[in-house]
Each structure stands twice: as C-alpha cells, then as structure tokens.
Amino acid sequence: MTTDNPLRQHLLRMAYNNAWANYRLLGACLQLSPADFEAQRCSFFPSIKATLNHSLCVDWFYLDAMERELQGLAPHPDCYVFFEREQPYAQCAELRAEQMRVDERLIRYCEAQTDADLQRTVTIARPGGPQVDTRSRLLAHLFQHQIHHRGQVHAMLAGTTVAPPQLDEFFCAGEAEERAADFAALGWTEAQVFA
C-alpha cells in the first residue's frame, strides 16, 4: 500500500464504498413490487423511488461540474438541466443501472486525482451567482449527500417485506470474505480497491 496522496486514496475508497453501498441498497430495492417502490412513505422525499431518483440527479449535477472542470471546459450553462425531471426513472432496474454508471464515473474521477489536484476549484454557474468550491469539498459533499439519502431509503425499506441490507460497513480488512460476492459482481478485487 502506498502512502502517496493520502487524501486521494481516502476519497477513492469513499467512491468505491459509495458504489458498493448503492449496489447493495438498490439490489434490495429491486425485490420490491412496483407498488412498494412507488408507495408514499414518511421521509424527506415521499417514496423510495423519489429518494433514489433525487440522489441520482444530484450525482449528475455535481459530477458534470467536476468532470467539466477536469477537462478544462466551461461550467454547464444550464446546470439545473439535471433536475428537469424530478424522477427520470420509473423502474428500479433502470435507475440501478444508471446509478452504477454514475458511480463508476465517480470512481474514475477520484482515480484521476492527486492531493494537489484536489485543491483545484470547480465552478458551477448557478443563476444567483457562481458556486466555487474545491474538488475535495465537492466530493465530501457528494458522499455525505448519498449517505444521508441512503439512510432514508434504508429506513423506508424497513417498512416493507424486503429486509434492508447492512450498509454501515466500510472495508474492514478481516471482512473481505463477506463482500467477496459483491466485489466479484462489481468486477473489483481487494487489491484494486486498496492499491
């Protein structure tokens, strides 16, 4: 294990953990009937479907801004385009497939960083004035946002016949066997995640 760029290593592992948690949570949600997926429940957003769609839209919003800056492109001229449809995916299977694509983009973004790069600023051209934050702040915000809403979906799942998956694990060394099947399905290895 290398000790170069410790912040980048941490954020990359957060990106992997984020993808793993989404994989597990959305895998459980796939077991819901369409009615249960859409049913009104008590939370910040009124359903599992609405909450998961919101998380995805926010991922699109911030990842677009970060990727544009990384590529030397101007900020998106209409950054709220990612929220034009509040619930772009009606089916959980389609939503999960897109979330997995976005999670892979986030992993690749974190891989491309160095600790010095993470202090570069990203501009989002919001209508009321630009939002300017470092890459590291935006990544921290994005991970926290995902954790927040996954917790809500986890709680809503508890009110269904589908058992919520365990999501409070990080990557403890002694528990590799417990995640081996998920890692295999995701095409990951322990060595890759902990390079």
Side-chain angles (χ1 to χ4, degrees):
M1 177 170 70
T2 179
T3 56
D4 294 339
N5 298 298
L7 180 57
R8 178 257 189 197
Q9 279 185 323
H10 172 69
L11 292 171
L12 177 57
R13 288 176 187 159
M14 288 293 291
Y16 274 113
N17 191 264
N18 178 71
W20 181 44
N22 284 336
Y23 173 81
R24 291 175 59 79
L25 183 63
L26 285 154
C29 291
L30 280 174
Q31 299 173 49
L32 295 169
S33 69
D36 279 339
F37 184 60
E38 298 175 5
Q40 185 160 347
R41 302 180 192 280
C42 183
S43 195
F44 188 81
F45 289 92
S47 68
I48 291 171
K49 174 186 168 189
T51 306
L52 292 172
N53 270 286
H54 166 74
S55 289
L56 178 63
C57 290
V58 170
D59 280 0
W60 283 339
F61 176 84
Y62 283 109
L63 195 52
D64 174 77
M66 292 186 297
E67 288 174 336
R68 282 175 177 272
E69 183 274 329
L70 182 66
Q71 297 166 19
L73 301 174
H76 197 294
D78 181 12
C79 65
Y80 293 125
V81 69
F82 301 105
F83 301 102
E84 282 181 350
R85 292 176 27 210
E86 285 185 18
Q87 297 182 38
Y89 290 98
Q91 306 298 319
C92 187
E94 296 170 339
L95 194 151
R96 185 190 198 204
E98 178 58 19
Q99 185 66 63
M100 288 178 71
R101 282 189 287 273
V102 171
D103 290 344
E104 181 64 24
R105 285 170 55 197
L106 186 56
I107 289 168
R108 297 299 149 242
Y109 180 83
C110 290
E111 279 181 334
Q113 304 302 309
T114 66
D115 281 11
D117 292 336
L118 287 163
Q119 301 317 308
R120 293 178 58 111
T121 57
V122 177
T123 301
I124 301 171
R126 291 183 183 261
Q131 174 187 350
V132 180
D133 278 303
T134 63
R135 292 175 180 180
S136 62
R137 280 183 184 247
L138 289 180
L139 286 168
H141 172 71
L142 197 53
F143 293 136
Q144 179 59 31
H145 183 265
Q146 276 281 357
I147 291 166
H148 172 67
H149 288 301
R150 273 196 303 267
Q152 292 172 340
V153 173
H154 194 271
M156 287 189 277
L157 264 180
T160 73
T161 59
V162 176
Q166 186 169 353
L167 298 178
D168 62 341
E169 297 292 335
F170 199 69
F171 292 131
C172 296
E175 298 171 347
E177 272 307 307
E178 296 175 27
R179 60 181 171 263
D182 289 344
F183 272 31
L186 290 163
W188 302 347
T189 65
E190 291 285 316
Q192 174 185 1
V193 173
F194 294 100

PDB file of all heavy atoms in Angstrom, residues 19 69 77 81 88 115 124 128 192:
ATOM      1  N   ALA A  19     -20.198   3.253  -4.180  1.00  0.00           N
ATOM      2  CA  ALA A  19     -20.724   2.384  -5.233  1.00  0.00           C
ATOM      3  C   ALA A  19     -21.197   1.051  -4.669  1.00  0.00           C
ATOM      4  O   ALA A  19     -22.231   0.517  -5.080  1.00  0.00           O
ATOM      5  CB  ALA A  19     -19.654   2.159  -6.305  1.00  0.00           C
ATOM      6  N   GLU A  69     -14.715  20.664 -15.296  1.00  0.00           N
ATOM      7  CA  GLU A  69     -13.528  21.386 -14.829  1.00  0.00           C
ATOM      8  C   GLU A  69     -12.274  20.563 -15.083  1.00  0.00           C
ATOM      9  O   GLU A  69     -11.258  21.092 -15.533  1.00  0.00           O
ATOM     10  CB  GLU A  69     -13.679  21.708 -13.335  1.00  0.00           C
ATOM     11  CG  GLU A  69     -12.546  22.530 -12.750  1.00  0.00           C
ATOM     12  CD  GLU A  69     -11.378  21.691 -12.274  1.00  0.00           C
ATOM     13  OE1 GLU A  69     -11.586  20.532 -11.847  1.00  0.00           O
ATOM     14  OE2 GLU A  69     -10.233  22.179 -12.337  1.00  0.00           O
ATOM     15  N   PRO A  77     -23.818  25.651 -18.934  1.00  0.00           N
ATOM     16  CA  PRO A  77     -24.568  26.909 -19.000  1.00  0.00           C
ATOM     17  C   PRO A  77     -25.952  26.826 -18.352  1.00  0.00           C
ATOM     18  O   PRO A  77     -26.534  27.836 -17.987  1.00  0.00           O
ATOM     19  CB  PRO A  77     -24.683  27.176 -20.507  1.00  0.00           C
ATOM     20  CG  PRO A  77     -24.528  25.834 -21.138  1.00  0.00           C
ATOM     21  CD  PRO A  77     -23.617  25.049 -20.256  1.00  0.00           C
ATOM     22  N   VAL A  81     -30.398  21.602 -15.614  1.00  0.00           N
ATOM     23  CA  VAL A  81     -30.972  20.670 -16.581  1.00  0.00           C
ATOM     24  C   VAL A  81     -31.092  19.271 -15.987  1.00  0.00           C
ATOM     25  O   VAL A  81     -31.973  18.497 -16.371  1.00  0.00           O
ATOM     26  CB  VAL A  81     -30.143  20.665 -17.894  1.00  0.00           C
ATOM     27  CG1 VAL A  81     -28.766  20.025 -17.675  1.00  0.00           C
ATOM     28  CG2 VAL A  81     -30.878  19.937 -19.007  1.00  0.00           C
ATOM     29  N   PRO A  88     -36.533  10.833 -13.156  1.00  0.00           N
ATOM     30  CA  PRO A  88     -36.278  10.386 -14.527  1.00  0.00           C
ATOM     31  C   PRO A  88     -36.442   8.889 -14.746  1.00  0.00           C
ATOM     32  O   PRO A  88     -36.638   8.460 -15.876  1.00  0.00           O
ATOM     33  CB  PRO A  88     -34.833  10.828 -14.782  1.00  0.00           C
ATOM     34  CG  PRO A  88     -34.240  11.040 -13.433  1.00  0.00           C
ATOM     35  CD  PRO A  88     -35.357  11.425 -12.527  1.00  0.00           C
ATOM     36  N   ASP A 115      -3.366  14.643  -4.455  1.00  0.00           N
ATOM     37  CA  ASP A 115      -3.759  15.515  -3.349  1.00  0.00           C
ATOM     38  C   ASP A 115      -3.711  16.981  -3.758  1.00  0.00           C
ATOM     39  O   ASP A 115      -4.567  17.776  -3.365  1.00  0.00           O
ATOM     40  CB  ASP A 115      -2.872  15.271  -2.131  1.00  0.00           C
ATOM     41  CG  ASP A 115      -3.291  14.026  -1.354  1.00  0.00           C
ATOM     42  OD1 ASP A 115      -4.126  13.245  -1.863  1.00  0.00           O
ATOM     43  OD2 ASP A 115      -2.781  13.840  -0.238  1.00  0.00           O
ATOM     44  N   ILE A 124     -19.599  26.179 -10.542  1.00  0.00           N
ATOM     45  CA  ILE A 124     -20.935  25.804 -11.024  1.00  0.00           C
ATOM     46  C   ILE A 124     -21.675  27.106 -11.266  1.00  0.00           C
ATOM     47  O   ILE A 124     -21.804  27.937 -10.353  1.00  0.00           O
ATOM     48  CB  ILE A 124     -21.668  24.918 -10.001  1.00  0.00           C
ATOM     49  CG1 ILE A 124     -20.857  23.643  -9.735  1.00  0.00           C
ATOM     50  CG2 ILE A 124     -23.074  24.577 -10.499  1.00  0.00           C
ATOM     51  CD1 ILE A 124     -21.374  22.793  -8.595  1.00  0.00           C
ATOM     52  N   GLY A 128     -28.103  32.462  -9.459  1.00  0.00           N
ATOM     53  CA  GLY A 128     -27.927  33.551  -8.494  1.00  0.00           C
ATOM     54  C   GLY A 128     -26.490  33.974  -8.293  1.00  0.00           C
ATOM     55  O   GLY A 128     -26.209  34.889  -7.527  1.00  0.00           O
ATOM     56  N   GLN A 192      -7.383  -4.064  -5.915  1.00  0.00           N
ATOM     57  CA  GLN A 192      -7.733  -2.881  -6.712  1.00  0.00           C
ATOM     58  C   GLN A 192      -8.251  -1.758  -5.804  1.00  0.00           C
ATOM     59  O   GLN A 192      -7.843  -0.604  -5.928  1.00  0.00           O
ATOM     60  CB  GLN A 192      -8.809  -3.278  -7.722  1.00  0.00           C
ATOM     61  CG  GLN A 192      -9.392  -2.163  -8.530  1.00  0.00           C
ATOM     62  CD  GLN A 192     -10.535  -2.639  -9.416  1.00  0.00           C
ATOM     63  OE1 GLN A 192     -10.900  -3.813  -9.417  1.00  0.00           O
ATOM     64  NE2 GLN A 192     -11.104  -1.737 -10.180  1.00  0.00           N
TER      65      GLN A 192
END
